[in-house]
Amino acid sequence: YMGINAEYMGCRFGSSFSISYTKMSTSSGIAVGLKKGHIVTKRAAKALPSRRKGGMGQRVKLVRGVVREVVGWAPYEKRIMEILKGGGNNPQKRAYRFAKRRLGTHIRAKRKVADMGDVIAKAKQAEAAAAAAAKAAAKQ
């Protein structure tokens, strides 16, 4: 037993001693050694249904998009967008704090603030495209 903390345990190998936990690439067919073991053909593992769980399906994505178009944004989402647009002292941090209070967890708040930032960016892009089209139409 020369574990991970060999230096800490006062091991005689010193600081040059290290353990590598990488997987062995191929077997040699010999019972001992670095690549020991019977030579076998690797089979691709079948994907389990549990690996698909939680993925966004086409139908759900479409329905959520339609609902978002019809219903619009929740009041707290509008407030997050206001905070992000408004600037002031560190608007990102203020938006995170506000979202965390409303959503309960830091990870949910991060995701929501990122989504609202994307919405603002898309709105700016659409606005710039409309302005460019209006400018091009005015020239002609």
Side-chain angles (χ1 to χ4, degrees), residues 71-83 98 116:
V71 176
W73 303 105
Y76 82 95
E77 291 173 328
K78 290 178 187 172
R79 177 93 188 274
I80 290 170
M81 286 192 274
E82 271 181 40
I83 292 170
F98 179 78
M116 296 296 105

Side-chain angles (χ1 to χ4, degrees), residues 57-132:
Q58 287 179 332
R59 183 168 184 267
V60 172
K61 191 174 184 179
L62 177 71
V63 169
R64 286 185 186 170
V66 169
V67 169
R68 176 64 75 192
E69 265 182 50
V70 172
V71 176
W73 303 105
Y76 82 95
E77 291 173 328
K78 290 178 187 172
R79 177 93 188 274
I80 290 170
M81 286 192 274
E82 271 181 40
I83 292 170
L84 289 172
K85 285 180 194 172
N89 292 332
N90 205 349
Q92 197 79 16
K93 182 177 178 181
R94 285 178 52 231
Y96 279 138
R97 288 178 67 191
F98 179 78
K100 187 176 181 296
R101 286 193 195 113
R102 296 301 161 107
L103 296 171
T105 68
H106 181 69
I107 289 173
R108 288 178 185 169
K110 276 173 54 175
R111 190 180 305 135
K112 181 59 75 174
V113 170
D115 288 348
M116 296 296 105
D118 292 345
V119 167
I120 292 169
K122 281 183 183 175
K124 280 184 182 177
Q125 282 179 347
E127 192 177 302

